[in-house]
Amino acid sequence: SHTPAKFVYSVSVETLFNAIMTPFDQSFKNFKDITKVERRVMKKLFWAYDPMVSCPHISEKWAQDLREKLVDTISKALKPMNDYIETLQDFKELIAIDINEYANEAQKKFFPTNGEALNMTDLCALARKHALDSEQIFYQLPSSVNLGLVMIDCKSVKNMLAAKHKAVSSKLFQLLEAKTRQFSESVIEDFRQLYDVIVVSPGTIEK
């Protein structure tokens, strides 16, 4: 079974969140067990113990309140990342296309083997649509998006989507070319056989 296509960030929202919160939490640990400067400077004095700088603890209410406020602020600042990636979900079907299977399905649809008429016009229209969609994506999707706290680089996604449309279009045009050539050769052969019959001089009036 195929893994469903999806868009992900090269750096996840959780990673960015932790990159901000970890230093905050670590700062309280770093201030712990800091010896007072007097002990460092007055080395000739006898010290019964190492005097430590009084430092706040993360469990204190003001620290917890500050942490909760920071968590809320960061969460709100990173939320647009989730909102933006949702806007790309419409392209998941495009990403999931297997180009060879897509071309095979197009061949069955537009060139049936049950005697129905060939539909080259609609196949050409489908190929042209993918070509136009490729250009539209390339020129209309932004190369970057400013989400406030982060800047999203969209160039690789834009290029990938445009290239996928172009690859599908090229495959369909190849199919159209092959079928057009095949149809032309078939028509020429039919005319050749008809010509071979016509050029034969009849032996009698009845013929």
Side-chain angles (χ1 to χ4, degrees):
S1 59
H2 296 290
T3 302
K6 64 178 181 178
F7 289 94
V8 295
Y9 290 113
S10 57
V11 179
S12 68
V13 175
E14 292 75 17
T15 300
L16 291 174
F17 178 86
N18 292 332
I20 299 174
M21 291 306 305
T22 299
F24 177 86
D25 294 334
Q26 188 64 37
S27 64
F28 285 89
K29 296 179 182 179
N30 292 340
F31 283 123
K32 185 180 178 182
D33 298 332
I34 297 179
T35 304
K36 288 187 176 181
V37 67
E38 293 90 336
R39 178 66 178 84
R40 299 296 184 186
V41 175
M42 303 176 183
K43 296 181 179 180
K44 294 183 178 180
L45 293 180
F46 173 76
W47 297 86
Y49 63 92
D50 290 334
M52 299 296 176
V53 176
S54 177
C55 298
H57 196 274
I58 194 170
S59 62
E60 296 179 30
K61 185 178 183 308
W62 70 267
Q64 287 295 305
D65 291 343
L66 182 61
R67 190 180 191 283
E68 289 179 7
K69 184 177 180 180
L70 181 60
V71 167
D72 183 63
T73 300
I74 297 172
S75 298
K76 289 179 179 177
L78 295 177
K79 184 178 180 300
M81 290 182 66
N82 293 324
D83 295 339
Y84 175 72
I85 209 165
E86 283 298 317
T87 66
L88 300 176
Q89 299 310 307
D90 291 341
F91 295 108
K92 287 200 300 184
E93 290 185 6
L94 172 64
I95 297 175
I97 288 178
D98 181 294
I99 297 178
N100 289 327
E101 290 182 6
Y102 191 81
N104 290 336
E105 290 299 319
Q107 179 172 336
K108 294 176 183 178
K109 179 179 179 180
F110 299 113
F111 302 103
T113 57
N114 58 3
E116 295 183 11
L118 305 182
N119 196 343
M120 296 184 180
T121 302
D122 286 350
L123 175 59
C124 182
L126 180 60
R128 285 177 57 82
K129 180 181 183 302
H130 279 286
L132 292 173
D133 286 345
S134 175
E135 293 184 5
Q136 185 177 34
I137 285 176
F138 187 80
Y139 289 109
Q140 292 189 4
L141 283 186
S143 295
S144 62
V145 176
N146 187 344
L147 298 180
L149 185 61
V150 296
M151 177 75 75
I152 307 298
D153 185 351
C154 306
K155 289 191 292 292
S156 60
V157 172
K158 181 174 72 169
N159 292 338
M160 181 267 293
L161 294 174
K164 188 62 175 286
H165 268 304
K166 189 172 183 179
V168 172
S169 175
S170 297
K171 190 71 174 181
L172 294 179
F173 275 124
Q174 290 173 9
L175 173 62
L176 180 62
E177 178 186 6
K179 289 299 181 179
T180 301
R181 183 170 56 251
Q182 181 181 334
F183 178 72
S184 300
E185 292 172 351
S186 175
V187 171
I188 291 173
E189 180 61 27
D190 289 342
F191 272 104
R192 183 178 292 114
Q193 293 178 6
L194 180 61
Y195 177 79
D196 291 343
V197 173
I198 293 176
V199 296
V200 175
S201 300
T204 62
I205 297 177
E206 288 79 7
K207 290 184 178 180

